[in-house]
Amino acid sequence: MELITKTKLTFLKNAWYVAALTTELDTETLLTRKIIDETVLFYRKEDGSVAALRDRCPHRFAPLSKGIRSGDEITCLYHGLKFNELGECTHNPHGNGKIPKACAVKSYEIEERDGFIWIWMGNRSKADRSKIMDCSVLSQKPDTAVGHIYMYNKCNYQLLTDNIMDLSHIDHLHGPLINTGGKLSPLLPNVQEEGEVISVRWDWLAEPAMQLFAVHLPRPEDEANQYFQVDWHAPSNMHLKVAAVQDSTDYTNDGLELYDFHIMTPETEFSTHYFFASARNYLEEDGEYNAAKMAGMEQAFIEEDKPMIEAQQQEMGESGFWELQPVLLSSDAGGIRVRRKLSELLEIESA
Ligand code: FES
Ligand SMILES: [Fe+2]
């Protein structure tokens, strides 16, 4: 198999992407967002469900997001063509009012669940909702144990995927609250592939547990069992579990577990929408802790990951990843497996 070297070849079209957070779209907003190089207009219909149309009028390509909304329809502000939520033109104010056959806008399959608005960017007949990553824990836990964040990054989305698939970076880039005190890098990550899901896992005996957890364990100073597991779903959606337990191996019932979602949606070849959400199985009713925890996660990303990854992209310029012949380390096992899998899926889609 020939590896794809240019990042510009790496957008899967027949895939589910998160387009926005539920909270970004109220009943009034006309939200425009570029996804895999296509600008899409999102708005909430009168029944509360989400409509998504190509944000480009077919007449002279004015963005429909600059238009005027009436009911579930949008009128282009430039010369007045009107479109419904399916992208069909319903009114032409010019000449005899006849609507040309080609006068229509692409509309998209949408699924809203667990605080995310998902969009299928490819052929609508291939949209399979069972392929959306399961984030249902975000709906199962109380609001005081759940948070969602949107972040914007000037880099290719695969660099952000690499960042999660290789968590060894936390001991080098991040502070003591979320690092493992050097435990992670020497470990060989366990990589598994099942169907289209690639998992990478690290298990270790912490002495003591990560600071994030230690204070909530029965004996904060003592050793604890810990693990990280990342499940990657094509093209760039990841579920990360982080856990610690003492005197047991039953993390879910006896220990502390975080359920994190790192979802990367390419805007362009060199810019990415990053959606992060998190839930947990401890202090579930503590809203104050929840707010502080989410703020801490956002701050760590904005101040530590983002500057490094954007600088990495700047240094790489427009060169492809493989073209630059990266040195591979043991900690890269999961990330490299994902890059190869994505290349395979792209080959299949373009065949
Ligand atoms: S550009 Fe929209 S009606 Fe002319
Ligand atoms: Fe990080």
Side-chain angles (χ1 to χ4, degrees), residues 38-142:
E38 270 179 48
T39 314
V40 183
L41 164 67
F42 299 90
Y43 60 98
R44 217 171 262 291
K45 293 188 282 176
E46 289 184 332
D47 67 4
S49 62
V50 176
L53 300 178
R54 182 80 165 95
D55 193 12
R56 176 187 281 180
C57 178
H59 174 227
R60 286 293 178 268
F61 319 120
L64 291 176
S65 54
K66 291 195 178 300
I68 295 164
R69 178 178 172 173
S70 46
D72 289 344
E73 299 194 314
I74 307 283
T75 302
C76 179
L77 191 62
Y78 204 6
H79 313 97
L81 288 173
K82 190 187 255 193
F83 301 91
N84 67 17
E85 76 276 15
L86 300 173
E88 299 159 341
C89 182
T90 57
H91 180 64
N92 172 10
H94 303 277
N96 63 5
K98 198 163 176 288
I99 295 171
K101 256 212 172 86
C103 191
V105 182
K106 177 180 175 183
S107 65
Y108 301 80
E109 288 291 322
I110 291 287
E111 176 75 12
E112 184 171 22
R113 54 169 94 151
D114 309 317
F116 295 125
I117 296 167
W118 294 87
I119 187 169
W120 178 265
M121 294 300 290
N123 183 336
R124 288 186 77 152
S125 66
K126 293 188 174 164
D128 176 356
R129 284 172 164 70
S130 71
K131 293 223 163 148
I132 295 176
M133 180 169 69
D134 180 5
C135 306
S136 55
V137 68
L138 298 170
S139 299
Q140 289 155 6
K141 296 292 180 187

Side-chain angles (χ1 to χ4, degrees), residues 11 17 34-36 157 236 264-268 271-273:
F11 296 147
Y17 292 96
K34 189 178 275 187
I35 296 168
I36 61 166
Y157 70 105
S236 41
M264 315 304 167
T265 300
E267 178 189 52
T268 65
S271 57
T272 303
H273 307 290

Side-chain angles (χ1 to χ4, degrees), residues 264-290:
M264 315 304 167
T265 300
E267 178 189 52
T268 65
E269 185 180 356
F270 297 115
S271 57
T272 303
H273 307 290
Y274 190 156
F275 299 93
F276 172 75
S278 183
R280 63 182 183 279
N281 75 340
Y282 61 97
L283 298 178
E284 290 186 13
E285 308 298 331
D286 191 339
E288 217 168 286
Y289 173 78
N290 196 48

Side-chain angles (χ1 to χ4, degrees), residues 163 169-170 173-174 305:
N163 187 52
H169 80 270
I170 65 173
L173 188 62
H174 295 304
D305 295 279

